[in-house]
Amino acid sequence: ATLINKREAAKLLSISPFTLNQWRRDGKLIEGIHFVRFNSRNVRYIQESIRDLFLNLDDPKAHDRYCQQFMNSKSTASIAGK
């Protein structure tokens, strides 16, 4: 996965960095799917997930399917790594 900073993620979504932070706090962005938190001040966004969210803003069910596939692929990779 490609990690990007707040400004890059906001630009991909055509929103302000403030709105991006608000979406994260409101739960519209899901930790582990849309972003990873390294500490309280260091958050990076998963470019592929942010891009899919943008492409499916008008079709939340399509993005939900992406999220499910993303989580399934993480589980499969985790099991394969053991």
Side-chain angles (χ1 to χ4, degrees):
T2 304
L3 300 178
I4 57 176
N5 66 33
K6 173 174 51 176
R7 285 177 198 68
E8 293 167 320
K11 185 175 179 180
L12 268 177
L13 291 168
S14 298
I15 60 175
S16 73
F18 176 81
T19 300
L20 184 71
N21 287 339
Q22 195 64 43
W23 283 11
R24 196 179 73 240
R25 280 188 235 110
D26 291 347
K28 186 169 183 168
L29 301 178
I30 303 165
E31 187 167 2
I33 294 177
H34 298 107
F35 68 95
V36 291
R37 184 186 316 267
F38 295 101
N39 59 44
S40 63
R41 303 190 91 204
N42 191 357
V43 174
R44 292 292 181 263
Y45 297 85
I46 301 169
Q47 183 177 17
E48 296 82 3
S49 297
I50 297 296
R51 182 172 286 125
D52 187 81
L53 176 63
F54 175 74
L55 293 173
N56 291 299
L57 282 172
D58 61 338
D59 188 359
K61 288 184 180 185
H63 185 64
D64 289 345
R65 287 190 298 272
Y66 168 86
C67 292
Q68 188 61 46
Q69 290 173 345
F70 183 87
M71 293 306 292
N72 289 342
S73 68
K74 281 179 60 173
S75 296
T76 303
S78 168
I79 293 169
K82 288 184 177 181

